[in-house]
C-alpha cells in the first residue's frame, strides 16, 4: 500500500479495496479531524509508521515507536535468506540469535516461521526490548529477549546468528532524508565508516556460533565487499553467499563457521 492508502485504511478501519470500491460516502467529522492531524505531522516530516504506531513486516503487524528503527522491506530479504538456509537438509537450527532486534521484526518473524527453534534476541535499548516483547506477544510468538550489547552473556551454541546492525557512517546521518532523523540514532549509526558492528560481530561470533553455524547479516549500500573481506579475514569463517535486493544492491551476506 502507498502512504495515502495506509493512512486511510488505518484511520477508517477498512480494507484497501473498499477505498476504491466502497462508493461515495461522507467521512465522519471525527475521522476528518484525525486525518488532518496525521497529515500535519506527516508534512513536518514524521514517518507515517510512527504516527500510526504500526507497520507491516513479513505479513505481520508490528507496533513501532520512536524507540525502534522502522522495519524496512529490504530486511525481509534477511529473514527470507535465514529461512531458506534453515530449511536446507540439516533442518532448522535449534537456537537462533538476532543481534540488535529493535522492534523485534526479524526475531518475531523467525519465531513464527521456525516454530521448532529457540529464538533469542538482544538489544542495548531497554525501550526497544519492551516494544519487541509486545510484538512477540501480539503475534503469538516466543522470543527470549536479552538486554545486552551484541551477544547475550553466558549464552552460546547458536546454529544461526542474524543481524541488521546499525550501519550508517556517522558523518552521513545528518544528510539522510528528514524522516530518518526521527529514528533512534543508536539504531542507525555504525561508527565512522559504518562498519563497527560487523567488526565486533566477526571478532566475537565464533565464541557463540556452533560448528557449522551460519552468520547472516544485512549490509548497507556499498558495504558488501568490506564485510566479505572482514569475514574472510576471520579465522574459521568463510563467506557462503551474497544476496542482492530487488534494486540489485548487495544486501545480505551469509557466512559459515567452518572450523
Ligand atoms: N532488527 C531491527 C530491524 O531490522 C532493528 C535494526 C536496527 O535497529 N539497526 O528493523
Amino acid at each position: 500500500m502507498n502512504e495515502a492508502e495506509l493512512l486511510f485504511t488505518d484511520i477508517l478501519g477498512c480494507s484497501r479495496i473498499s477505498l476504491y470500491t466502497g462508493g461515495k460516502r461522507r467521512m465522519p467529522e471525527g475521522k476528518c479531524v484525525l486525518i488532518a492531524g496525521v497529515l500535519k505531522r506527516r508534512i513536518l516530516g514524521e514517518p507515517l509508521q510512527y504516527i500510526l504506531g504500526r507497520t507491516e513486516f513479513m505479513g505481520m503487524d508490528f507496533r513501532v515507536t520512536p524507540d525502534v528503527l522502522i522495519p524496512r522491506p529490504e530486511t525481509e530479504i534477511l529473514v527470507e535468506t535465514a529461512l531458506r538456509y534453515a530449511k536446507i537438509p540439516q533442518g532448522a537450527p535449534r537456537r537462533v540469535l538476532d543481534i540488535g532486534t529493535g522492534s523485534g521484526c526479524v526475531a518475531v518473524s523467525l519465531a513464527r516461521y521456525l516454530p521448532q527453534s529457540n529464538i533469542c534476541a538482544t538489544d542495548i535499548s531497554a525501550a526497544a526490548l519492551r516494544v519487541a516483547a509486545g510484538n512477540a506477544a501480539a503475534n503469538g510468538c516466543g522470543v527470549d529477549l536479552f538486554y545486552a550489547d551484541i551477544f547475550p552473556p553466558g549464552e552460546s551454541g547458536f546454529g544461526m546468528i542474524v543481524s541488521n546492525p546499525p550501519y550508517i557512517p556517522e558523518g552521513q546521518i545528518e544528510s539522510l532524508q528528514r524522516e530518518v532523523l526521527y529514528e533512534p540514532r543508536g539504531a542507525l549509526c555504525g561508527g565512522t565508516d559504518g562498519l563497527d558492528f560487523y567488526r565486533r560481530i566477526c571478532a566475537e561470533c565464533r565464541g557463540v556460533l556452533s560448528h557449522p553455524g551460519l552468520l547472516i547479516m544485512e549490509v548497507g549500500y556499498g558495504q558488501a565487499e568490506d564485510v566479505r573481506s572482514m569475514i574472510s579475514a576471520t579465522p574459521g569463517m568463510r563467506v557462503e553467499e551474497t544476496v542482492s535486493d530487488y534494486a540489485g544492491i548487495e544486501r545480505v551476506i551469509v557466512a559459515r563457521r567452518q572450523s
Side-chain angles (χ1 to χ4, degrees):
M1 284 196 269
N2 63 34
E3 287 205 23
E5 291 166 344
L6 278 172
L7 165 60
F8 280 97
T9 53
D10 193 276
I11 292 195
L12 299 177
C14 65
S15 68
R16 175 176 176 272
I17 285 296
S18 70
L19 286 180
Y20 298 100
T21 59
K24 276 193 181 162
R25 278 165 297 161
R26 181 172 289 278
M27 196 173 319
E29 180 75 19
K31 302 279 184 189
C32 289
V33 173
L34 274 177
I35 288 174
V38 171
L39 287 177
K40 255 187 214 144
R41 288 167 68 183
R42 185 67 196 93
I43 286 163
L44 290 173
E46 195 172 345
L48 186 65
Q49 295 91 333
Y50 286 154
I51 303 173
L52 300 178
R54 53 173 291 269
T55 194
E56 211 182 82
F57 183 82
M58 292 295 292
M60 285 181 272
D61 206 50
F62 285 86
R63 189 168 88 87
V64 289
T65 71
D67 289 315
V68 301
L69 191 83
I70 297 167
R72 304 292 202 270
E74 305 88 89
T75 304
E76 293 188 346
I77 297 171
L78 173 71
V79 174
E80 281 159 3
T81 303
L83 292 175
R84 174 158 57 83
Y85 274 86
K87 303 263 159 62
I88 57 177
Q90 304 93 310
R94 202 173 52 80
R95 303 193 83 196
V96 179
L97 172 65
D98 172 29
I99 297 172
T101 199
S103 64
C105 62
V106 173
V108 172
S109 308
L110 291 176
R112 155 115 183 248
Y113 293 108
L114 298 175
Q116 251 67 288
S117 304
N118 163 233
I119 312 290
C120 299
T122 57
D123 207 288
I124 186 102
S125 156
L129 286 172
R130 283 193 288 276
V131 175
N135 281 325
N139 284 291
C141 297
V143 176
D144 292 337
L145 295 164
F146 295 86
Y147 175 62
D149 187 11
I150 307 207
F151 294 107
E155 302 288 327
S156 61
F158 294 102
M160 184 183 273
I161 297 176
V162 296
S163 186
N164 173 27
Y167 55 60
I168 299 179
E170 199 161 7
Q172 285 180 19
I173 294 202
E174 297 308 321
S175 58
L176 294 173
Q177 68 185 93
R178 61 183 182 159
E179 281 80 0
V180 179
L181 302 177
Y182 283 81
E183 298 189 270
R185 211 184 162 88
L188 297 169
C189 180
T192 314
D193 62 358
L195 302 174
D196 279 5
F197 287 89
Y198 302 106
R199 268 185 216 101
R200 294 176 61 194
I201 292 170
C202 284
E204 294 171 48
C205 70
R206 264 178 85 207
V208 293
L209 197 56
S210 63
H211 173 231
L214 291 164
L215 170 63
I216 307 179
M217 298 184 289
E218 179 171 329
V219 296
Y221 178 77
Q223 294 177 330
E225 193 53 53
D226 285 339
V227 174
R228 278 193 294 263
S229 309
M230 218 180 269
I231 291 164
S232 304
T234 306
M237 298 294 294
R238 84 178 144 82
V239 176
E240 184 95 8
E241 187 189 353
T242 303
V243 185
S244 295
D245 65 18
Y246 302 113
I249 296 166
E250 292 185 310
R251 189 54 77 182
V252 171
I253 299 198
V254 182
R256 189 180 289 280
R257 178 172 169 194
Q258 52 175 7
S259 65

